[in-house]
Amino acid sequence: MSKGVRTRAAILGEALSLMSTDGLSGLTIGLLAERTGLSKSGLFAHFGSKEQLQVAVLQEAQACFTTHVIRPVLDLPRGLPRLEAFAEGWWAWNRSPPFPGGCPIQAASLELDDRPGPLRDEIAGAQRRLRAFIRQGAAMAVAAGHFRPGLDCTLFAFQMVGIAFAQTMTCRLLGEPEGLDFVRRAWRLQVDGALGTTQNQTGEMNHVE
Amino acid sequence: MSKGVRTRAAILGEALSLMSTDGLSGLTIGLLAERTGLSKSGLFAHFGSKEQLQVAVLQEAQACFTTHVIRPVLDLPRGLPRLEAFAEGWWAWNRSPPFPGGCPIQAASLELDDRPGPLRDEIAGAQRRLRAFIRQGAAMAVAAGHFRPGLDCTLFAFQMVGIAFAQTMTCRLLGEPEGLDFVRRAWRLQVDGALGTTQNQTGEMNHVE
DNA sequence: TTGACAATAGCACGATCGTTCGTTTATTTG
DNA sequence: CAAATAAACGAACGATCGTGCTATTGTCAA
């Protein structure tokens, strides 16, 4: 596999950087051509349409996330160790991803959530897969006895996604240096709430009014 | 209130709707003029530049949020009642704000977090004020004895912001009908963890009374 | 009612958008 | 090495972008 595939990869890499700062709608063919040193038409020929380019970029972003965050933790033992390592890797990714801007998946998720079409489908799929990964990770921790039985792993994933977004707000938008501390403490609270407890009651339902 | 002010308000209202679906960068002067029935130049004269229009829209979004979510709960007693009402109002706003799209503040926050300038300053200020409101709300709950003393109200606000973003993902992007349930359960867990407990130990550990 | 002034329209500008097409240059293959 | 194919270019298109002007309309106080 040669030239064509290689330049296509280079284009997507540059596109990811551009998108991380300017968003999907800021990803323009002219600008991208300029940064890659290609002509507009030469670059365009690789994708056939702007939308196909955008889809390719979203897929590239997922692949990059998998490489940097998911794959490394798959070597670790299932359950809590893997989950903890994934968390730490995710926080690191969110704070300083391999792009000049922030996490492109988070950005695209809020950019596309009201515009039905192939782009939204793509990013929605990414979020679904991510949540499934977390959910299964939590389920493994339950199976391994690290987390208490009856834990709602879907809710667990929901909460973890929330922490990740709150991190982006704190670390990137507000630029607060202590942001990572809040992330870790919120995550610790969530994990502690999921641990197997000595006197464990009804499971997820807690409360009393 | 004179003509100019009235049309300006109408423009901003329409701009808010447009922005909620297409984002700040999708908010174009030509499109906005078309929707308001004005000419491009006529509309343009109200703001002087695109950036000033965008700033005005961001401020309008904050004003709208204050009117719909913040102000109503200020009548309620300080502490937990006000905080709970605010939460419920916020979830309602996130799921179905008075625009065709999702919450413009959330969307703009992730759109602008990597682009320094007046726009980012504006939305960062909005997020800071929102967090401060939550923090103070939690502090009032502590003062009223609803929440345990020593609660980290900043962390509390951090977590609540996370829930709100996770809600947008679930309810808007993924379109899961049970999304609001997760929101409420995550929020309940957070509140329970902050309540004054009978035997209160080291800190964040919670659990039921 | 008229005169002052705010509000809006009309038009044009340079730039850039996504896209098409024919041509030229590289690369791969026989 | 030559033929076949892939990759990239250059120029142009209609549309739309944000932004200046000037002229016209509308509003409001005297």
Side-chain angles (χ1 to χ4, degrees), chain A:
Chain A
M1 298 272 170
S2 272
K3 198 73 194 305
V5 183
R6 252 179 295 132
T7 43
R8 189 188 148 105
I11 292 171
L12 288 180
E14 195 59 40
L16 257 184
S17 290
L18 203 72
M19 176 201 165
S20 76
T21 59
D22 294 2
L24 250 195
S25 58
L27 181 63
T28 198
I29 291 183
L31 210 59
L32 190 54
E34 184 182 311
R35 296 217 191 174
T36 51
L38 293 177
S39 66
K40 263 175 49 170
S41 53
L43 189 150
F44 184 85
H46 278 274
F47 303 95
S49 80
K50 170 106 189 256
E51 194 175 58
Q52 285 177 264
L53 163 65
Q54 290 172 313
V55 170
V57 173
L58 290 180
Q59 290 170 344
E60 179 72 10
Q62 296 175 64
C64 190
F65 182 82
T66 299
T67 300
H68 282 76
V69 183
I70 303 271
R71 193 140 62 219
V73 310
L74 296 184
D75 297 332
L76 277 62
R78 297 181 166 202
L80 197 48
R82 183 184 295 183
L83 210 48
E84 292 276 20
F86 166 72
E88 206 50 47
W90 196 10
W91 314 145
W93 163 279
N94 282 334
R95 200 180 55 156
S96 46
F99 322 109
C103 174
I105 297 173
Q106 280 189 351
S109 293
L110 267 98
E111 190 176 350
L112 298 170
D113 64 351
D114 294 307
R115 277 176 279 181
L119 293 178
R120 191 176 84 158
D121 296 344
E122 186 63 44
I123 202 69
Q127 286 286 355
R128 259 186 272 269
R129 284 186 287 274
L130 175 60
R131 281 161 110 106
F133 176 77
I134 301 171
R135 192 173 60 241
Q136 288 160 12
M140 290 175 190
V142 171
H146 303 139
F147 283 170
R148 80 179 122 78
L151 176 76
D152 188 328
C153 297
T154 303
L155 180 60
F156 188 92
F158 176 93
Q159 292 174 287
M160 193 173 186
V161 167
I163 293 178
F165 275 102
Q167 178 190 13
T168 297
M169 285 298 92
T170 310
C171 294
R172 300 203 73 90
L173 179 64
L174 303 183
E176 296 178 1
E178 69 275 30
L180 196 52
D181 295 335
F182 288 112
V183 174
R184 291 215 177 96
R185 289 166 62 195
W187 168 243
R188 186 59 38 214
L189 284 175
Q190 184 183 336
V191 169
D192 286 347
L195 290 177
T197 55
T198 42
Q199 72 273 26
N200 183 14
Q201 55 260 66
T202 57
E204 228 28 53
M205 300 305 280
N206 34 345
H207 39 243
V208 182
E209 305 280 346

Side-chain angles (χ1 to χ4, degrees), chain B residues 3-4 7 38-39 41 45-46:
Chain B
K3 191 74 193 308
T7 45
L38 293 177
S39 65
S41 55
H46 278 273

